[in-house]
Structure formats: C-alpha cells, structure tokens
Amino acid sequence: MYSFKNDYSEGAHPQILNQILKINAEQNIGYGQDQYSELAKELIKNIIAKKDAAIHFLVGGTQTNLTVMAAFLRPYEAVIAPHTGHILVHETGAIESTGHKIISVATTEGKLTTEQILAVLKEHTDEHMVKPKMVYISQPTEIGTIYSYAELNKISELCKQKNLYFYIDGARLGSALMSEKNDVNLAQIAQLTDAFYIGGTKNGALFGEALVICRQKLQTDFRYHIKQRGAMLAKGQFLGVQFWEMFKAGLYYQLAEHANKMAKLLKMALQDLECEFLVNTDTNQIFPILSKRVIASLEKKYSFYIWQEISEDCAAVRLVTSWATSESVVQEFVADLKQLLSGAV
C-alpha cells in the first residue's frame, strides 16, 4: 500500500539524518541556543537579506501558528483567513482555544484577495464585535495553488494601510518556491510580511519549522510565548541542525523541486488520460476527478484522501508527492489507473 496522502509519511532525507547522527553524542546548550541553531539562523538571515529578523525553530506547523497568534494578538483581536485555511479546518480549534476568532472568507482557488479583506473590515466596525488584526494565508494554499508576487504585494500594501499583521503559513513553502509558476523568493516574502515560517516537516526534515518574525515590535519576549505554549524543545539542536543542513547547500530547494517534479509527472499522465481536475495546481498536490468505481479500485493498492464529492458518481481526490516519491511509483500508479479507465479491471 503506497501512500499519496501527504508529504511527511517518510522519515527524513539521509543527509539530514546523517547530520543528526554526527552531533548526537555532543553536549549542546539547550532550548534552541546551541551553535547549530545559530548557524541555521545566520544562513536564513543571509538568504532573506534581513539581518534584524528574529528566527525561532519550533516542532510543528499547528504549534507555530498557535504560538504566533497567541503572542501577536490582543484578546479581542481576530484573524482573517480563507475558508480552506489550515487554521480553520485542520487545527482542532487551536487558535480559538486561545480566545481568538478566525473570520472565514469563501475564496476562489483558496486565495484571499484585497477586496475580500476590505469587505471583512467594513463589516467589523466597532467594539461590539471582534477586531480584525491579522491576515493569514498559506503559500502554497491548502489546495496547491500559489500567490504571485503581485497578489502578495497587494495584500501586504493593504495590511500596512489598515494596520493589519500579514502572516504566511509556509508548511509547504518549498513547493511554492520551486513551482514553475512562482515569481517570489524568500527575501521578497520577508519584505512583504510581518512574519512567516519555512516548513521543514513537509519537505524532508524529521520535524521542524523555522519561524521568521520580520516586524521588530513583534519580536519582543517571543521566547516567553514559545515556552508558555510548550513549544520550546529542550534538545533544540536537533531542530537547528536540520535547517542548517537544508540551507547550507540548497538541499531544501532540491527536495521541494523533486516533489513538484513527481506531481507534474502524475498531472501530465492524468491529463493524457483525459482526467479533469478540481483545481489547476503546479506544486506537489494535485486534485484529479475520478469515478467512485475507479477510486474504490485504486484504494486497494494506494492510500489518498477523497477531497470533495463532485457528483453521485464522481469525486476529487488529493494526491501528494514528497521528496521521497520515486518515478517508478508514479509510473505504476498511472499504469494501474490507465488499466482501470480502459475497463480492463
């Protein structure tokens, strides 16, 4: 049974595991103040061309989002997010548990627009309702689409005008950066946002996310928030060394590029088989629409999510490729699907 459910089913890339093994017996300062975390921070600061950024390594994406929003927002302040956003759908009310409302916005292809943000601001007028303070998006979106530089810049400019924080969830940021349609780099993201994170868990790390806080006033005492939320890993060197390894020679980009390449192979083969898609994506997630008969047969050999029912007979499924997905697995899946579509099985 091969899984296309996600991009974190495997452990970690061998280079990352080797680095963890190399430092395993060393004694290091704890709680993210070790030499490897410092090396990784300096690497990232150089890449984003922002020496005054604050960088913190946390274990997972939900933990990062929760800690950020609990730290940045006053008790009465709320987050504007697309209706497909991870914080709305897949984080078990983590943000709401801190007392912050998420204002859900129905979007096209998972992407927020400035017009939609303005509409939310217009609806929230006084102290009898929550005050929108943060705009949350993910890059890529939860359905694999990406924002262009122009789209991100428009949101950034509006946030500055309206005194909103602009925060990007980067769980799959590597996949967005290596998309053939991408025109944004990490340095530009750092200029456009108040904070964002670089996802490692879904791009070949054993675990870990690198939170980058760009706005200086949000940096104060952030380690207190990390500790209070139970997010400060005692053996923090095993977070830092992974990001050092991923960024010192471009491994982060190579792994994301491979995941995207495998998804593209799947997508092109499915297009050749005249499959339709729920949404057009150019990252490591694709959403083909298949008959329920075909889906049931594929599920005997592969695991994946049924994402959305399209009709009584059809549904869209989500197929996710990773740094470890092999071309042979992709070819085998395509061959099995071709056989099913031909009616031979």
Side-chain angles (χ1 to χ4, degrees):
M1 179 72 73
Y2 187 85
S3 176
F4 285 104
K5 277 193 166 184
N6 55 56
D7 35 19
Y8 48 89
S9 292
E10 299 88 3
H13 189 273
Q15 285 181 225
I16 294 170
L17 288 177
N18 286 338
Q19 281 296 343
I20 291 172
L21 281 171
K22 279 182 183 179
I23 72 163
N24 186 53
E26 288 183 11
Q27 291 185 324
N28 277 282
I29 300 170
Y31 302 107
Q33 296 182 313
D34 59 279
Q35 58 177 319
Y36 301 104
S37 294
E38 292 303 316
L39 285 168
K41 288 175 187 179
E42 286 306 307
L43 269 178
I44 293 170
K45 286 180 184 181
N46 288 337
I47 291 166
I48 66 174
K50 196 168 181 62
K51 288 292 188 179
D52 61 353
I55 298 171
H56 303 276
F57 300 113
L58 293 89
V59 173
T62 297
Q63 184 187 68
T64 304
N65 291 335
L66 165 69
T67 307
V68 162
M69 292 174 199
F72 292 178
L73 302 178
R74 299 293 299 275
Y76 51 84
E77 291 176 337
V79 185
I80 303 169
H83 73 288
T84 54
H86 201 271
I87 57 171
L88 263 166
V89 185
H90 292 118
E91 294 190 358
T92 325
I95 309 307
E96 291 92 338
S97 75
T98 68
H100 299 292
K101 181 181 177 66
I102 303 172
I103 302 167
S104 176
V105 178
T107 59
T108 302
E109 296 190 343
K111 297 199 288 185
L112 269 179
T113 66
T114 51
E115 291 77 16
Q116 290 168 324
I117 296 167
L118 283 168
V120 170
L121 297 179
K122 189 175 180 180
E123 291 169 358
H124 292 75
T125 56
D126 56 36
E127 67 277 7
H128 295 284
M129 51 193 77
V130 292
K131 181 180 181 181
K133 184 62 179 178
M134 177 182 285
V135 171
Y136 164 97
I137 65 168
S138 55
Q139 176 76 332
T141 70
E142 288 300 302
I143 53 175
T145 54
I146 64 169
Y147 291 83
S148 66
Y149 177 82
E151 290 169 326
L152 292 175
N153 188 53
K154 281 185 71 176
I155 294 173
S156 179
E157 289 300 317
L158 178 64
C159 287
K160 289 170 185 171
Q161 291 168 17
K162 300 298 182 181
N163 195 26
L164 304 172
Y165 300 140
F166 184 21
Y167 173 66
I168 294 181
D169 180 325
R172 292 189 172 97
L173 187 54
S175 183
L177 292 170
M178 299 311 294
S179 169
E180 292 178 353
K181 298 292 178 66
N182 178 55
D183 65 350
V184 188
N185 60 39
L186 280 173
Q188 290 169 321
I189 290 172
Q191 290 298 318
L192 294 172
T193 62
D194 294 291
F196 69 98
Y197 79 84
I198 302 167
T201 303
K202 295 178 179 178
N203 194 37
L206 195 58
F207 49 79
E209 326 299 330
L211 172 65
V212 182
I213 305 177
C214 305
R215 185 185 284 211
Q216 286 189 291
K217 82 167 197 175
L218 299 175
Q219 298 173 5
T220 305
D221 290 340
F222 192 80
R223 279 176 59 85
Y224 286 86
H225 292 284
I226 296 174
K227 182 66 176 179
Q228 189 179 67
R229 296 289 163 185
M232 189 172 285
L233 186 66
K235 298 180 182 180
Q237 67 268 30
F238 296 114
L239 284 169
V241 77
Q242 292 185 75
F243 280 90
W244 179 51
E245 180 63 27
M246 283 191 287
F247 280 103
K248 69 181 183 180
L251 180 63
Y252 186 81
Y253 304 106
Q254 294 165 26
L255 299 184
E257 184 177 34
H258 175 82
N260 285 358
K261 182 181 176 183
M262 294 302 103
K264 184 179 179 180
L265 287 176
L266 266 177
K267 180 182 176 182
M268 291 173 64
L270 268 60
Q271 286 174 332
D272 289 344
L273 293 172
E274 299 184 347
C275 289
E276 294 184 355
F277 294 82
L278 179 67
V279 62
N280 184 33
T281 65
D282 294 284
T283 53
N284 70 322
Q285 301 180 83
I286 63 170
F287 298 82
I289 297 170
L290 303 170
S291 75
K292 292 179 181 178
R293 176 191 67 81
V294 167
I295 291 170
S297 294
L298 285 171
E299 286 181 318
K300 294 173 184 176
K301 189 174 177 180
Y302 305 96
S303 59
F304 46 81
Y305 285 111
I306 298 174
W307 196 258
Q308 182 179 316
E309 187 163 309
I310 303 300
S311 68
E312 188 176 334
D313 300 318
C314 297
V317 303
R318 185 182 77 159
L319 303 175
V320 187
T321 53
S322 81
W323 64 272
T325 303
S326 68
E327 190 168 339
S328 62
V329 166
V330 170
Q331 291 170 344
E332 187 175 350
F333 179 89
V334 171
D336 289 340
L337 178 59
K338 187 174 183 179
Q339 197 171 29
L340 287 167
L341 292 176
S342 70
V345 176

